[in-house]
Amino acid sequence: IRRPPRSTPLYSSAASDVYKRQMLKESIKVRAPATVANVSCGFDCLGYAISNPADIVTIKKNNDPGIEISLSGIKADTIPTVAENNTAGKGLLSLLEALNLKQGFKVHIEKGIHPGSGLGSSAASTVAAVFGANILLGSPLKLEDLLIHCMKGEIVSSGFAHADNVAPALLGGFILVRSYDPLDVLKLPIPENLLSINVLPDYIVKTKEARAILPKNISLTSAIKQSGNLSGFIAGLYERDFALMGRSMVDLFAEPFRSGLIPGYDSMRQSVMDSGAIGCGISGSGPSVFALSDSFDKANIIGKTMVDSFKKSGLKSKLFISPVNTFPPKILD
Ligand code: HSE
């Protein structure tokens, strides 16, 4: 993992002491946040963490093998509890296999993030579980080495081990997945005053289904435009150039095929841009939408525009405004 200039280390010595104390415990409670994947121009490559909502996962050591999963919170009854079919369970199984450990865990997942929201709901559960379990085991793996196990969880929910939700939930900040094979993940700089506006309408889009509607091949013309935009967006982050970021936030890979899943999307996007957003798009595989802004006042207006647009389509929605969350998952207990 390469870090941007002037970034703080992932582990401070104070943080290491906290982790050492935690490994003496039988259980741990961890909070991992929602994330925005794709960010328009970076399909499967770009993502950032926000502060709210979040999932909270409690992991208890169990000498017997196997992962026992229980759930509570938002739409918890829609999530499988068999470890192999649960994103957090799959991540933990991958971690235990890699460490050649026979022990098990009892896991309770408190869903604060709606499943099927496009806010990295499955990623947050997996990241909190894998992060917490690693600490209970005495931190055998470094933060960045947990990523591959968190990615295994994404296969369960989307059919592909995409890292653009799990990497920012695990590492914090704005992340570029430069390569999947070999895995090469970079932390990007975050311009000051950057705010994320996220609006979540009250219905589910399953990531697997939102991926199934995408074409298997993309034209060279689209690939050239998307490469230019992704490069432009990243240059904009480094240069703190909001205008460059904004004109780069165009998606030719997923948005044209997925926008039909979001009622009134095109007119909402236009109104959001007219309200002064840096850019606007579908958050992950939707149905959440996101926008970026450089001021809290504009962010409130943009958020209201999104909520009103969903209302016109007969949908209730929830608004979250947050800076990019730069922290790794938080130990609560
Ligand atoms: N990059 C993934 C997709 C994110 O768009 O399918 C899913 O949240």
Side-chain angles (χ1 to χ4, degrees), residues 41 228-229 232-233 241-250 273 278-279:
C41 50
N229 282 326
F233 185 83
D241 183 338
F242 291 132
L244 174 57
M245 286 163 61
R247 64 179 185 272
S248 304
M249 286 174 68
V250 181
M273 294 312 292
I278 293 170

Side-chain angles (χ1 to χ4, degrees), residues 66-67 83-85 88-98 130 149:
I67 312 285
E84 275 287 339
N85 303 332
K90 189 81 178 169
L92 289 171
L93 289 170
S94 169
L95 178 72
L96 288 171
E97 193 187 329
V130 170
H149 304 296

Side-chain angles (χ1 to χ4, degrees), residues 37-38 43-44 162 164-165 207 211 258 284-285:
N38 300 338
F43 181 74
D44 277 358
H162 64 94
D164 48 345
N165 290 111
T207 303
R211 291 182 82 88
R258 287 176 172 171
S285 53

Side-chain angles (χ1 to χ4, degrees), residues 184-237:
D184 186 8
V185 172
L186 283 76
K187 264 193 145 180
L188 302 169
I190 303 158
E192 231 174 290
N193 302 330
L194 187 67
L195 287 172
S196 175
I197 303 108
N198 282 81
V199 172
L200 163 64
D202 188 18
Y203 69 100
I204 287 180
V205 170
K206 289 197 171 143
T207 303
K208 234 177 217 169
E209 287 162 19
R211 291 182 82 88
I213 62 171
L214 301 180
K216 297 281 164 286
N217 296 297
I218 290 287
S219 74
L220 184 60
T221 316
S222 296
I224 291 167
K225 285 185 187 164
Q226 193 99 348
S227 307
N229 282 326
L230 179 55
S231 314
F233 185 83
I234 290 166
L237 286 178

